[in-house]
Amino acid sequence: MNQPDKTLELDAQAFRQVVEQALERVLEHLDSLPEQPSVTQGGADLARSLVEPLPERGAPFPELLSLLFERLIPHSFNTAGPGYMAYIPGGGLPHVAVADLISDVVNRYVGVWATAPGLVQLETNVVRWFCDIVGYPKQALGILTSGGSLANFSAIVAARRQHLPSNFFKGTLYASDQTHNSVQKSALAAGFPPENVRQISSDRAYPLCLDALKRQINLDRAAGYEPFMVVGNAGTTNTGAVDDLEALAALAGRERMWFHVDAAYGGFFVLTAHGKEVMAGIEQADSITLDPHKGLFLPYGTGALLVRDRLVLQRAYSVHADYLPEMQQDPDFVDFCEMSPELSRGFRGLRVWLPFKLHGIGPFRRNLEEKLALTRWATEQLRRIEGVEIVAEPRLSIVAFRLRKPGLDDEALNALNRALIRRINERNRVFLTGTLLGDRFVVRLCILSFRTHKERVEQGIEDIKASVAALMSSKQPAEVG
Ligand SMILES: *Cc1c(COP(=O)(O)O)cnc(C)c1O
């Protein structure tokens, strides 16, 4: 036998060295975060220049770090910085990097209870805490997923298994036209024909229109379909609109349908008094999607699905295998693989457990309250800018607005607002994106990062004011390019 190759078993000194070298770069990066440009666009040439064959030999670690921190990381949207108010901001609590370091190194297995009962209990606690946050009863539980999309997918499969026969092609599900595309995508992945996802029109302030929903359900029943699921929004991605969750819960109950709430963006605002009021009724849902990598400021990679009755999720996903350890039967405990499409996966629980235990829930609640207040403040500033119209008042921490200029038709107005976003972003202190509400292109301001505070929002308002002024004084009807 040849000598075994032990290169991959870093000894203590080598491991310490790579961690320290990486940490050095990471700290420098964090330090400069507020000064980094809010966005660097493009990058096809950069991407192409990186294509390379499978490496036969190793390269020095500092060289690889330089590639990452000097060439690749700077060329991106600064999603972790305070100026990121585009889409739905992520976060990047640094604690989670430490949690990941620990769980990756110990590499314990948390899909099955017997393999690490204490660690599985930590993750169970995290899911239970989420259930308490939304006001779920004792028999509720759920799973941590890679994100909101997979949580929505897991919910649709659970609802399908609970309400429909094996041949489920007559099953129809309902969601407003403001619903995140992951619901449509998940329904497809769960096997439904695309047309079985009914898009219900939304009211002017963008919650789902209940009358339209009732009409469609009746039409579908009359045509021989089996309406089985309603998806409500607790914070749409477009405007943060919240559907009437109590009314939807009542309707789903009467119609014997599964009621799912997609609270990927808005859910953790129930930690605040305002959010609790706005999302009243969320606790009546059969299932809820939350996204800790949005509202809890975690780095990307952690979503959650909560179900009102854990047994329903277990019935949906439990499939026996001879080669797995025995699943435990104690109702106090859980084998997560029995409630989830996943078997092997990382220890996501520690990513939430560590920051919660280190700080308690207080700082999370106060950060969310701050984001709500900042959005209200920004809205009042925007309202005072001549030519700016608030298109969707903030329910949570998103405000949608647009610039109006006399004499322009809809198309020209849309072009004007696209030009406005370009100008704002060029100043590189904040990064904003837009969306379409009906035919109207609007600019969105979404404040959710734990690093975004008053000072940066003020800078954003300054940049919006300056960009609006430039466009309003420009002779061209809609400056393009
Ligand atoms: C972000 C989002 C999703 C998708 O979640 P991912 O974590 O990106 O997979 C689903 N629904 C809503 C309302 C969202 O904002």
Side-chain angles (χ1 to χ4, degrees):
M1 275 257 291
N2 291 333
Q3 279 293 327
D5 185 329
K6 294 192 172 176
T7 315
L8 300 178
E9 298 172 54
L10 295 182
D11 65 24
Q13 199 198 341
F15 186 44
R16 180 187 296 277
Q17 197 182 9
V18 291
V19 171
E20 283 176 355
Q21 285 173 344
L23 185 62
E24 204 56 38
R25 303 303 290 252
V26 164
L27 292 176
E28 249 174 69
H29 175 84
L30 274 183
D31 207 37
S32 72
L33 207 47
E35 281 76 51
Q36 290 169 21
S38 64
V39 61
T40 309
Q41 312 252 22
D45 289 343
L46 172 66
R48 266 189 264 279
S49 77
L50 294 168
V51 176
E52 62 174 342
L54 177 69
E56 277 299 333
R57 284 168 200 289
F61 189 47
E63 232 170 70
L64 306 181
L65 286 171
S66 295
L67 172 71
L68 284 169
F69 282 90
E70 288 158 34
R71 287 188 61 210
L72 310 191
I73 294 169
H75 205 111
S76 55
F77 297 2
N78 185 359
T79 42
Y84 193 71
M85 303 176 198
Y87 307 106
I88 306 286
L93 291 180
H95 320 58
V96 175
V98 179
D100 284 349
L101 175 70
I102 296 170
S103 43
D104 290 353
V105 170
V106 304
N107 197 32
R108 290 303 192 257
Y109 201 87
V110 293
V112 176
W113 184 85
T115 62
L119 299 181
V120 172
Q121 188 60 47
L122 292 195
E123 184 157 311
T124 311
N125 287 358
V126 164
V127 178
R128 266 307 323 165
W129 294 336
F130 289 174
C131 289
D132 291 342
I133 286 172
V134 299
Y136 258 177
K138 280 279 160 279
Q139 70 274 22
L141 203 64
I143 52 172
L144 299 183
T145 64
S146 57
S149 300
L150 263 291
N152 282 337
F153 171 74
S154 308
I156 289 176
V157 172
R160 191 195 82 199
R161 300 263 297 159
Q162 174 79 356
H163 282 280
L164 294 175
S166 305
N167 181 341
F168 52 79
F169 285 141
K170 288 282 179 198
T172 45
L173 53 156
Y174 302 77
S176 91
D177 54 15
Q178 296 295 303
T179 301
H180 192 271
N181 78 345
S182 60
V183 169
Q184 177 82 29
K185 212 197 267 187
S186 297
L188 290 180
F192 290 96
E195 63 274 13
N196 288 29
V197 184
R198 306 291 199 226
Q199 262 200 10
I200 306 302
S201 58
S202 47
D203 287 328
R204 234 190 87 67
Y206 310 107
L208 177 148
C209 174
L210 276 165
D211 288 336
L213 173 61
K214 284 181 212 158
R215 264 198 310 279
Q216 188 63 47
I217 290 174
N218 290 340
L219 278 176
D220 287 339
R221 286 211 197 282
Y225 286 101
E226 296 175 61
F228 79 101
M229 184 179 197
V230 182
V231 178
N233 282 302
T236 61
T237 314
N238 272 344
T239 64
V242 179
D243 293 333
D244 184 341
L245 303 180
E246 279 176 334
L248 284 178
L251 184 133
R254 279 198 304 278
E255 297 282 348
R256 294 179 198 290
M257 293 164 73
W258 180 286
F259 177 36
H260 175 68
V261 173
D262 183 356
Y265 154 63
F268 285 108
F269 281 106
V270 294
L271 284 166
T272 71
H274 171 76
K276 207 176 223 121
E277 202 181 303
V278 168
M279 287 179 268
I282 192 172
E283 74 289 347
Q284 296 171 40
D286 294 294
S287 55
I288 302 170
T289 287
L290 296 175
D291 233 351
H293 65 205
K294 291 175 178 166
L296 288 183
F297 324 120
L298 260 59
Y300 298 118
T302 306
L305 173 70
L306 309 181
V307 287
R308 204 160 206 294
D309 178 358
R310 63 181 272 182
L311 294 178
V312 173
L313 203 53
Q314 250 154 288
R315 280 201 296 275
Y317 281 108
S318 178
V319 177
H320 174 79
D322 291 327
Y323 43 78
L324 286 178
E326 196 153 339
M327 303 294 150
Q328 50 73 39
Q329 302 301 325
D330 190 324
D332 286 344
F333 301 140
V334 59
D335 290 291
F336 280 112
C337 71
E338 295 246 275
M339 311 177 69
S340 153
E342 290 184 288
L343 178 57
S344 304
R345 61 177 175 81
F347 182 20
R348 295 176 184 133
L350 196 65
R351 307 180 105 219
V352 180
W353 184 87
L354 187 63
F356 271 23
K357 287 290 285 183
L358 268 173
H359 302 293
I361 195 69
F364 291 89
R365 178 177 289 122
R366 288 190 286 276
N367 259 280
L368 290 167
E369 277 163 354
E370 181 199 18
K371 307 316 156 202
L372 294 173
L374 286 174
T375 312
R376 280 193 295 268
W377 181 84
T379 305
E380 290 323 306
Q381 302 306 307
L382 290 169
R383 212 188 298 285
R384 287 184 207 157
I385 303 175
E386 171 124 13
V388 165
E389 168 199 22
I390 306 295
V391 181
E393 296 284 338
R395 282 314 287 294
L396 298 167
S397 70
I398 301 174
V399 54
F401 64 96
R402 69 174 190 160
L403 186 57
R404 307 260 304 253
K405 201 172 169 180
L408 296 191
D409 62 14
D410 286 351
E411 207 174 307
L413 274 180
N414 286 355
L416 180 74
N417 280 280
R418 288 181 204 275
L420 175 61
I421 290 187
R422 272 197 303 277
R423 278 184 176 265
I424 298 164
N425 291 344
E426 267 164 25
R427 302 171 78 94
N428 245 320
R429 298 198 291 183
V430 300
F431 180 45
L432 306 186
T433 48
T435 191
L436 276 176
L437 294 178
D439 299 331
R440 287 186 297 180
F441 182 82
V442 298
V443 187
R444 292 164 73 261
L445 190 72
C446 179
I447 302 179
L448 194 60
S449 168
F450 68 113
R451 293 193 171 103
T452 302
H453 304 291
K454 181 82 175 272
E455 185 192 15
R456 187 60 63 132
V457 181
E458 279 169 351
Q459 292 173 3
I461 295 291
E462 277 171 26
D463 291 351
I464 293 170
K465 276 185 186 161
S467 307
V468 165
L471 284 174
M472 290 304 264
S473 63
S474 122
K475 293 248 170 356
Q476 278 139 313
E479 172 189 309
V480 189

